Each structure stands twice: as C-alpha cells, then as structure tokens.
Amino acid sequence: MKAKKIITSIITTLIIVGALYVGYTTINKSGILNNNEGFKTLQKPTNLSFNEETYTLSWNEVKHADQYIASIDGKQETIETNTFYYISLNEVTEFKVIALDSTGTYLPSQWSDTYTYTLRNDFSYAKVGAYVNKHVSGRELQKIICVYVNKNSLYFSGVFDDNGNDRLYDLKFNYSNDATSIEDAITNEKIKDIDVNDLYKIAEYDSASYLLQSNTYAGEMEQRRLEGYEFSVVSSQAVKSGDNEIFKIYSTYKLTKGQEMKYISNTIECYVPNASSNEKTNFTTKLIDPESRMLREYSYHELKGDEIDFAKIIEELNA
C-alpha cells in the first residue's frame, strides 16, 4: 500500500512538472530558453551600427538588460554594455545581438536583426588586414607589425593564427604594375606572386623595449641613435630562430629629435653567446647589457608617405 502511494506521488509530481514546462517554456531556434507566459521577456536590441573610425559596434540599450551576447561572424562574445570594440579583418562582417538579464527576472530577448557592414575606408588598419587575410588563405591575422612599399612590392610583417599556433609571417607581395604606396598596393589586384621571406614561432616578450634600454643598437638604427634621435616602440614582436641564443625582433619605431620625427621598420637579429637556460632572460634582461649580446641589423626601412600614416594608426591602436 505504501509503495502504491509513493508511485502515485511520483506520477503526480511528474505530471505537474511536465505541465509547468509545457505551459511556461519553449526552446527557440537559437537554443535560448524563452517564456510563453508568466515571465517577461527583454526587448530585442535594435539600431545596430559600426563606427569604422573607432572600430566600435553599438546598439540601443535594452531596459533591464545587464549583459549582451554579440555574435560576430559566428563567434560569440559576452559583454556588459551596449558597445563593443572590435577590429574586423574581413571586408564584410555580420553581427547580431541578444540581451540578457543575469538576475533571472527577465528572460533573454530574441536575437536582433543581423547587421552587415562592408569596410568603406580604403586606408585603415582593418582594410589592410582584410587585404592580407584575403591573400593568405588558411591563416587568420592577429596583429600587424609593419607595412611598407618598396620597388613595386608590399612588405608586410604580422602575427597569424596558424592552425592554433601564433606565428610571425614576413611577407612580400610582388606586383606587375606600379605600387608606390600602401593604398596603391591594397587596391592593386595585379599580384605576380607572394613571397614568404620568413616564418617564425613568436616569443611572448617585449624584447624591443629591453633593446632600447641598452641604448646601443646596430646598423642604420645605431646611426640614427648617434645622430641624436630618441626611439620609442610603435609595434614589435620577438620571434624564435630555433636556438635559444639566437632570435629576431621585428619592430616599427618612432624616432624623435627636437621637432623632427621619423618612423622606421627594423628587424634586428640577436645573438646571446652565454645563453641562459631561462628563455625569458635571453629575450629581456640580457638585451640591456651590450656585453651580453651581439646584434646584426637584418633589415631597415625609413617609412614615407602613407606608410607613416599607417604607422600612426598602429601607434594609436597600441597606445
């Protein structure tokens, strides 16, 4: 008899729970739990837009929402405000937003309408990145170190996601017609070929800043120091050459002397004769002491025209 009552109680409970579930909730196509009755649902976000000058996605604030999920080209980001800083390196980007209430008082909104934007500015960080991404298939650009044009070729160094591993690519885009500026190059589809000059594993150290602390450099970079220029890092990346005692530093620097200002692209090869077993020591503190390392200037280019403009864009983004 007691067992019968227990079974009856369990069945009754299941019927009640099932009725509540069916009566109050459904799952929408996006996988978000929605309410049919009994609870209020947040309004869906509206007026989505993208500011190409500030790289900001925005939409109207939703009352009672304290979180949003932005789906950008299929990748989701959770944020707490109705603006989101995002540099797209695709020429066309789609995004949509859903509003959330973390207290559970309100149910999630529906997804907003999808907003699609196409890069319009022919000269921007995003536009240059999108151009490179388009021609380097299978890898996703993460960071631009330097860009310049010389003898109808676009020289580009940047960090790419290469199948889950970050690597620096030193690329050279060769054109069959005139390319005398970055803007010429990224609007030029007459590419003869693309050379991969170097490909390296990156090292997560701010080696360029340690190098500047030594106040002794090499090649043209050292000559500029002797002429009285002061250096600051605009963008840089240390890379591994294979051995612990040999590595390179790819950099864009700003040089100042009084009211005069220059920007340069420079690659320095570093050799640490008595290398420490601690990799970080070789890439950082040993660079400060000129007696602890040897330098060779691997490449040097003084930026001009819109190359300077682009260096200033990188400088502002990294500030």
Side-chain angles (χ1 to χ4, degrees), residues 84-99:
F84 182 59
Y85 178 79
Y86 181 75
I87 296 180
S88 172
L89 297 180
N90 298 318
E91 290 190 347
V92 178
T93 294
E94 293 185 344
F95 81 98
K96 59 183 179 178
V97 182
I98 194 169

Side-chain angles (χ1 to χ4, degrees), residues 21 23 33 43 63 74 79 95 126 144 146 201 225 227 235 237 274 302 307 312 314 319:
Y21 182 82
L33 195 64
Q43 295 293 317
K63 189 175 181 181
I79 51 182
F95 81 98
I144 299 175
C146 191
K201 292 181 179 179
R225 183 190 71 83
E227 292 170 0
S235 183
Q237 183 63 61
N274 299 309
E302 188 170 314
E307 298 166 0
K312 289 179 179 179
I314 297 177

Side-chain angles (χ1 to χ4, degrees), residues 20 49 51 78 81 126 128 201 220 251 255 272 289 297 317:
L20 288 171
S49 65
N51 186 321
T78 301
T81 65
V128 173
K201 292 181 179 179
E220 292 292 328
S251 303
L255 284 59
V272 182
D289 181 10
E297 190 171 67
L317 290 172

Side-chain angles (χ1 to χ4, degrees), residues 84-221:
F84 182 59
Y85 178 79
Y86 181 75
I87 296 180
S88 172
L89 297 180
N90 298 318
E91 290 190 347
V92 178
T93 294
E94 293 185 344
F95 81 98
K96 59 183 179 178
V97 182
I98 194 169
L100 305 174
D101 170 25
S102 63
T103 69
T105 306
Y106 293 83
L107 291 170
S109 72
Q110 295 180 345
W111 283 103
S112 69
D113 295 335
T114 298
Y115 179 84
T116 302
Y117 70 86
T118 301
L119 290 172
R120 295 174 297 279
N121 186 350
D122 282 340
F123 187 71
S124 68
Y125 188 98
K127 193 71 175 182
V128 173
Y131 175 81
V132 173
N133 256 348
K134 182 171 68 173
H135 292 97
V136 182
S137 60
R139 298 162 185 83
E140 186 175 349
L141 180 62
Q142 305 292 313
K143 174 185 174 183
I144 299 175
I145 306 302
C146 191
V147 185
Y148 64 88
V149 173
N150 188 34
K151 297 180 180 178
N152 292 338
S153 294
L154 176 74
Y155 291 80
F156 180 95
S157 58
V159 177
F160 290 80
D161 180 344
D162 187 355
N163 296 316
N165 298 306
D166 285 344
R167 298 182 185 275
L168 182 137
Y169 278 72
D170 185 4
L171 305 173
K172 181 185 176 187
F173 294 75
N174 302 306
Y175 302 97
S176 57
N177 56 351
D178 289 344
T180 59
S181 68
I182 295 176
E183 189 167 1
D184 280 350
I186 65 173
T187 56
N188 191 335
E189 292 300 328
K190 294 186 177 180
I191 301 176
K192 290 194 299 185
D193 50 50
I194 302 173
D195 298 330
V196 180
N197 294 330
D198 283 310
L199 167 61
Y200 294 109
K201 292 181 179 179
I202 69 167
E204 297 289 357
Y205 310 112
D206 187 14
S207 299
S209 295
Y210 284 90
L211 174 63
L212 294 188
Q213 291 180 50
S214 73
N215 203 32
T216 304
Y217 316 135
E220 292 292 328
M221 186 175 174

Side-chain angles (χ1 to χ4, degrees), residues 30-42:
S30 66
I32 300 294
L33 195 64
N34 276 346
N35 163 262
N36 280 343
E37 53 182 274
F39 293 92
K40 293 182 178 180
T41 301
L42 294 171

Side-chain angles (χ1 to χ4, degrees), residues 2 5 8 32 48 63 109 121 124 128 131 185-186 216 233 241 248 257 260-261 278 284 301 310:
K2 191 177 287 187
K5 287 183 178 179
T8 302
I32 300 294
L48 278 66
K63 189 175 181 181
S109 72
N121 186 350
S124 68
V128 173
Y131 175 81
I186 65 173
T216 304
V233 179
S241 295
K248 290 179 181 177
K257 183 172 68 172
E260 189 179 352
M261 182 171 60
N278 185 322
T284 56
H301 178 82
F310 193 77

